[in-house]
Amino acid sequence: MAKITFITKDKEEITVEGTSGSVMELAVKNNVKGIDGDCGGVCSCATCHVQVDAGHTDKTGVASEIESDMLELDDDANEFSRLCCQLQVTEAMDGVVLNVVK
Amino acid sequence: MEHQTETQKKVKTSEFPDPFEQARIERGYGDIDDQNDPVTMLLRLKDVRKTAHNWKTFISGATPGRIVVPSEVAIRDIRQIPFEVDPPEHKDYRNLVEPWFKRPLEEEYTAKMTKIIEELVDEVIAKDDIEVVSDFSLKLQSRCLTLLLNIPYEEAETWIGWGVHVFRSEESSTDADKANILFDYLDEQIDRAAENPSDDLYSLLLSSEVNGKKMTKEEVKGVMILTFAGGRDTVINAVTNSLAYFAEHPKSLERLRQEPEIVGKAVEELVRYFSPLTHMGRVVTEDTKVCEHAIKNDSRVSMCWASANRDSAAFENPNEVVLDRKINPHVAFGFSHHNCLGATHARQILKVLINTLANKVGSIEIKNYKENIEEWGEFNRKVGFDNITMNIKGK
Ligand code: FES
């Protein structure tokens, strides 16, 4: 079981728990504002953009090349940016804090 | 090509070759002439994405109709909204219509859509051979559009009567008479909604303010033209081509029945593979370069989604349908600010269609067909079928 905290644009903090699937799916299931997941998680829409809270990046690892290519063209992207459909919910993610970008 | 020839038999009916590969690898672009207003087609995924994103150098807010290829400058002077408006104004229009176009995610909407599609599938199962484009896809698109506009179901009959494209006809790819049928129809509907507001899209738009100003009838018409034109032949092709695919891949349909959790991925993959809209243009505002190629101010480029979606730099086995492709950075719904407003509705249509076919259909047999080949300069692209007769049997 991993606890994942989303902080939305209007500073609402939502902590949810999950065991499997992608972080995007977990967010959509829990109606986290700003995570749409339009493409269903195949790295095509960038509507699942989050920024990993500094200090938690070791939990999430780094983006793949295809994911980076997508993020490169997002005006709000920075070094902490990830597409959360590319993050799997695992024990290793427990406690991670993600800032929703939109 | 009403009947299959020897060569056609070797290539599957549902196979859609990639005509851009060589040019994409060697040059990265292709040149086409469109009504004396040439277009540089950009073929690589990265170039296409960057161009779509750079709205300052590659604008949409040009002369109405000019960014569309083939150009519609000769047949309309009304601006399609939000599609032919650039940031920052674009955002206000987009914000206004976006929630409405996300309604397909609501349970009630999906339930109504399921009913429409199930009824139609039952209807074609009960018949012998059917011509899929006009007897299935056109009806499906028109009937589902009543949900998107939130108007009575019966209205679909009018649009079915118009045929598969609102601007194009057998004779011409930009048919002014045909366009006028739509424009007159929209004027009538807008006047009706102005007199008698209801909970349909026309009324919502008429009662809305954008940038502190009430939407004009002309602006409302601009949104409606986009809604009608953008999702017409694209959805029809996606639906028809998917049926052809399942006819020749019955195991895929069976797999989707057993693993409904991959339906979302299958939808993304089918739209990548078919890329119902070949490309979309932009007007260039300064001398610039894409993939080492000089592009002149006030000329046109197009972002070739169909080519980008087969770019082997991003897709493994790009010419194969991999139903559960996990990483699929396709641009079949466009990219960046102007990505397809109707994508949520289109995705939902395909999801419901696949689920319904998986549950109800036993076999699909293709009898004969005529391919729809688009000609873009040196490239001949199969985009769908002008007609295709199938026999669809129930379980
Ligand atoms: S959900 Fe589409 S890119 Fe992540």
Side-chain angles (χ1 to χ4, degrees):
Chain A
M1 187 71 79
K3 270 197 177 135
I4 295 175
T5 301
F6 297 93
I7 302 174
T8 66
K9 206 124 198 220
D10 6 299
K11 300 277 169 259
E12 197 194 340
E13 240 185 81
I14 308 167
T15 300
V16 296
E17 288 181 24
T19 47
S20 64
S22 78
V23 173
M24 180 279 289
E25 285 164 333
L26 191 64
V28 170
K29 217 186 298 159
N30 288 284
N31 296 317
V32 174
K33 204 172 153 225
I35 303 285
D36 293 340
D38 285 352
C39 75
V42 297
C43 203
S44 154
C45 67
T47 63
C48 62
H49 183 183
V50 294
Q51 283 161 359
V52 183
D53 217 58
H56 292 259
T57 48
D58 52 331
K59 298 193 173 94
T60 53
V62 293
S64 69
E65 194 187 328
I66 286 179
E67 188 185 333
S68 309
D69 282 352
M70 290 286 291
L71 286 164
E72 186 198 4
L73 294 176
D74 196 309
D75 295 331
D76 306 312
N78 66 15
E79 65 206 284
F80 300 107
S81 287
R82 293 296 308 265
L83 296 175
C84 69
C85 67
Q86 301 303 309
L87 297 174
Q88 290 304 305
V89 180
T90 61
E91 290 293 330
M93 291 280 276
D94 190 41
V96 77
V97 177
L98 305 170
N99 298 290
V100 181
V101 176
K102 289 261 141 60
Chain B
M1 279 188 286
E2 206 61 55
H3 297 284
Q4 296 184 28
T5 62
E6 275 313 301
T7 31
Q8 267 183 334
K9 267 184 199 148
K10 277 182 234 139
V11 179
K12 282 192 170 167
T13 309
S14 63
E15 230 167 277
F16 285 68
D18 167 23
F20 306 106
E21 185 178 12
Q22 202 186 346
R24 183 174 59 239
I25 294 169
E26 286 173 6
R27 274 175 289 149
Y29 66 90
D31 287 314
I32 59 175
D33 180 56
D34 170 28
Q35 302 159 71
N36 296 321
D37 189 2
V39 180
T40 304
M41 288 175 94
L42 307 175
L43 304 177
R44 295 178 183 155
L45 179 68
K46 275 197 185 190
D47 292 333
V48 163
R49 278 219 201 115
K50 280 196 178 136
T51 304
H53 188 65
N54 183 357
W55 53 268
K56 282 186 178 150
T57 304
F58 305 98
I59 61 165
S60 300
T63 308
R66 191 167 175 219
I67 61 167
V68 188
V69 191
S71 166
E72 291 169 359
V73 167
I75 58 166
R76 67 175 162 95
D77 45 26
I78 291 197
R79 185 170 295 284
Q80 291 188 1
I81 296 174
F83 166 59
E84 291 173 322
V85 184
D86 285 307
E89 293 81 23
H90 169 263
K91 196 164 179 41
D92 299 291
Y93 288 112
R94 181 85 191 206
N95 286 349
L96 165 68
V97 285
E98 195 123 85
W100 181 274
F101 281 82
K102 290 257 179 190
R103 286 159 49 253
L105 295 173
E106 292 165 11
E107 231 167 273
E108 199 192 328
Y109 190 110
T110 314
K112 283 185 192 159
M113 183 185 273
T114 307
K115 189 165 168 277
I116 290 176
I117 294 180
E118 284 183 345
E119 219 173 83
L120 187 59
V121 170
D122 286 339
E123 200 178 300
V124 295
I125 286 175
K127 285 188 194 156
D128 291 332
D129 296 352
I130 60 142
E131 197 288 286
V132 171
V133 177
S134 54
D135 289 341
F136 187 79
S137 308
L138 171 62
K139 288 185 182 171
L140 188 152
Q141 193 274 336
S142 301
R143 290 174 185 173
C144 288
L145 183 60
T146 63
L147 297 177
L148 191 60
L149 306 193
N150 203 24
I151 59 172
Y153 180 70
E154 297 70 46
E155 197 62 18
E157 288 308 313
T158 308
W159 313 327
I160 292 168
W162 291 348
V164 292
H165 200 283
V166 291
F167 293 155
R168 294 182 199 155
S169 64
E170 299 270 305
E171 295 77 44
S172 162
S173 64
T174 50
D175 186 325
D177 291 341
K178 220 171 165 197
N180 283 327
I181 296 177
L182 173 68
F183 299 160
D184 293 345
Y185 170 84
L186 290 177
D187 285 334
E188 252 173 57
Q189 297 300 315
I190 292 166
D191 288 339
R192 177 195 50 77
E195 262 166 51
N196 260 320
S198 65
D199 50 6
D200 61 13
L201 177 57
Y202 302 99
S203 308
L204 168 92
L205 295 171
L206 283 166
S207 68
S208 296
E209 273 190 15
V210 173
N211 300 322
K213 273 188 301 188
K214 223 166 162 253
M215 290 265 277
T216 64
K217 283 188 178 178
E218 168 133 343
E219 286 174 309
V220 173
K221 195 170 164 184
V223 176
M224 298 310 299
I225 295 173
L226 175 64
T227 308
F228 271 88
R232 185 75 161 174
D233 52 344
T234 47
V235 169
I236 289 172
N237 281 335
V239 168
T240 308
N241 300 351
S242 298
L243 272 176
Y245 172 77
F246 289 123
E248 293 184 325
H249 301 85
K251 282 198 187 123
S252 293
L253 198 54
E254 180 53 30
R255 179 171 175 206
L256 287 160
R257 195 180 67 79
Q258 286 178 5
E259 297 173 63
E261 66 278 8
I262 67 163
V263 169
K265 291 199 171 65
V267 166
E268 299 305 314
E269 176 65 349
L270 291 169
V271 296
R272 177 194 72 85
Y273 184 76
F274 296 131
S275 298
L277 182 67
T278 303
H279 59 168
M280 182 51 66
R282 294 282 190 269
V283 172
V284 183
T285 55
E286 58 185 337
D287 288 351
T288 185
K289 260 188 187 178
V290 183
C291 59
E292 317 276 275
H293 179 58
I295 300 174
K296 280 222 148 40
N297 184 16
D298 199 39
S299 71
R300 297 193 295 163
V301 297
S302 84
M303 300 156 293
C304 187
W305 321 117
S307 168
N309 283 340
R310 299 291 180 98
D311 191 335
S312 58
F315 303 98
E316 247 173 74
N317 302 325
N319 298 317
E320 267 167 49
V321 174
V322 180
L323 270 195
D324 60 347
R325 196 182 281 274
K326 283 166 195 72
I327 307 278
N328 192 349
H330 72 81
V331 286
F333 290 117
F335 187 74
S336 205
H337 318 82
H338 285 291
N339 68 9
C340 176
L341 185 58
T344 313
H345 180 70
R347 284 180 162 121
Q348 204 64 285
I349 286 181
L350 291 170
K351 269 182 212 162
V352 173
L353 174 67
I354 290 176
N355 287 332
T356 307
L357 294 175
N359 289 325
K360 285 182 180 275
V361 168
S363 70
I364 310 175
E365 191 192 344
I366 298 173
K367 292 296 183 71
N368 58 53
Y369 59 89
K370 185 169 177 281
E371 293 179 339
N372 176 2
I373 309 280
E374 291 179 346
E375 283 176 36
W376 304 108
E378 68 193 279
F379 312 112
N380 292 324
R381 176 177 190 243
K382 172 171 160 187
V383 66
F385 302 90
D386 285 337
N387 57 64
I388 179 165
T389 303
M390 298 187 201
N391 188 295
I392 302 174
K393 288 204 166 70
K395 273 208 181 310

